[in-house]
Amino acid sequence: MAQDVAIIGIGLHPFGRHDTLTGRAQGAIALRAALKDAGIGWDSIGIAYGGSHDAGNADALCNDLGLTGLPFVNVANGCATGGSALASAVAAIRSGTAEFAVAVGFDKHPRGAFNPHPRDWGLPDWYGETGLMLTTQFFALKTRRYMHEHGISEESLVRVAQRAFRNGALNPTAWRRREMSYEEIAESMPVNLPLRQYMFCNPAEGGAALVLCPADVAKRYHPKPIIVKAAVVRTRHHGSFEVFSPALAAKQAPAPTVTASRAAFEQAGVGPRDIDVLQLQDTDSGSEIIHMAENGFCEHGEQERLLRDGETEIGGRLPINTDGGCLANGEPIGASGLRQVIEICTQLRQEAGARQVPGNPRLGYTHVYGAPGVSGVTILQR
Amino acid sequence: MPHPVLAGPDLVRFEGDTPHLVGSRCDECGEVYFPAADSCTRCTATRMSPQDLGSRGTLWSWTIQGFMPKAPYNSGETPESFRPYGVGYVEMASGIKVESRLTIADESQLTIGMPLELTLIPYRTTDDGEIHTFAFRPATSA
């Protein structure tokens, strides 16, 4: 049996806009905070995995932290970069490659929507030139079809965004910290209908880092280590409906989120009903709704009732995105998946302050989704 | 009359003046692709043949592009002259859903399941004339 792995250090540089800091500087701040939380030095780290989409190579952090000769692997898996870095770090410790590992991510994006180039994704030029290669379009098209098939109303899209900003207002490191009224969201600018301006997250800046070690020694370094029960990454299958698809196959297949989630629950030996607090990728309101079911937390179509009855609120049965998610924090691609994990660690340590879920949360869950169809899921235990 | 110049010249063939979308079909398992693919992501085969996808379909999902995309979008519009455009997945006879521009960008006129037909629309102008791309419009006849 492979040994359990624990998170003994978490560090976050607040998300948002930081005009005087590079992306890498934000990553270095997060990494130093994580090392301090774990009470160990950078020279103890045996392996590191990190990623940044727009702010340089993550291994350049060695220029800030120290040139210790460690293996530092740059990770690039779209918005699932953080989840992929963490899964790699966990595997390295399980295999005995290192005693201490780091997963780190940071980013700093230009304003406005991402503008991918077709050739980087194995696609022809016309697909981008004629205005079809936009992530916001994909999310809208998938959401529209999902709403049609499963009876989800536009009211639910608004409720997801409202809760995100409500939770963000309670989170000192969130970017968007202002609650918004139903009307403000429902009447905001149509970006890609049915999705409107305040139903989309924005590219942003920030840094996030984790320090990990074998679970059996974790208490020497942190009084409240968080056990990684599962850290799984899966890519798309033939027939799944993914971003950057000029066409979809006649026969549909489940999303990579479905297979990643199932594998993670199997690895952890628990089920969706055991989870006390969770983070789902909410690049937009529609995606969070779809991800609720794809991760096994409800039946398709049940989201409408769960959202209306407040079950996904901090005090509800299924608290989702207690830190405000991507909608309130923004999306620095390299850091985003690790922010999710940090929020769950904070909740399981009972250190989330005004946004702490009540009771005594023992099990948490994170899910990140990135282009061109990569899902990363973790299950974390106090 | 000569056929319009297309941003993706291999995507369309003409029967008379009627454009048809062209993809490919896996010789091993029969899976259909658009645009034409060199290999099959269903069965990993590499023998593919051209496949006419036809010119008619039904709207499977849709959105309206409400802001002007950054490059590589190259319509020549400015943020001031930009006009929102419709985008959809159109289900063709074989069951494949093709992502396409729509000639309609009015939410009151778009419904999942509505019948559509292929057309070619100018999307930018160069010194040599207009460049077209494929798009779907409401079907005019049964």
Side-chain angles (χ1 to χ4, degrees), chain A residues 158 181-190 196-199:
Chain A
V158 178
S181 70
Y182 187 97
E183 291 70 28
E184 196 175 355
I185 296 163
E187 292 162 16
S188 62
M189 188 181 78
R196 294 170 177 275
Q197 181 181 4
Y198 296 129
M199 299 171 184

Side-chain angles (χ1 to χ4, degrees), chain A residues 110-113 115-118 124 126-132 134 136-137 140-142 144-145 148-149 190-194 196 238 241-242 245-250 252, chain B residues 7-8 11 31 33-35 41-42 59-67 69-75 85 87-89 94-101 107 112 123 133-134:
Chain A
R111 286 162 203 266
N115 58 328
H117 289 263
W126 63 261
Y127 188 56
E129 290 171 0
T130 60
L132 299 180
L134 281 93
T136 56
Q137 270 176 20
L141 290 163
K142 186 163 179 176
R144 168 88 61 197
R145 184 68 196 181
H148 173 76
E149 288 183 5
V191 170
N192 275 102
L193 289 173
R196 294 170 177 275
H238 177 79
F241 184 176
E242 307 304 334
S245 297
L248 305 174
Q252 297 271 288
Chain B
L11 303 176
E31 188 71 340
Y33 291 85
F34 178 83
T41 58
R42 181 171 176 229
L59 190 58
W60 189 79
S61 188
W62 59 273
T63 184
I64 294 167
Q65 181 59 39
F67 63 93
K70 296 177 185 172
Y73 183 61
N74 66 351
S75 68
Y85 55 88
V87 176
Y89 276 101
S94 70
I96 192 174
K97 291 103 185 163
V98 173
E99 189 179 1
S100 174
R101 301 241 328 210
E107 58 180 310
I112 287 177
Y123 92 97
T133 188
F134 64 94

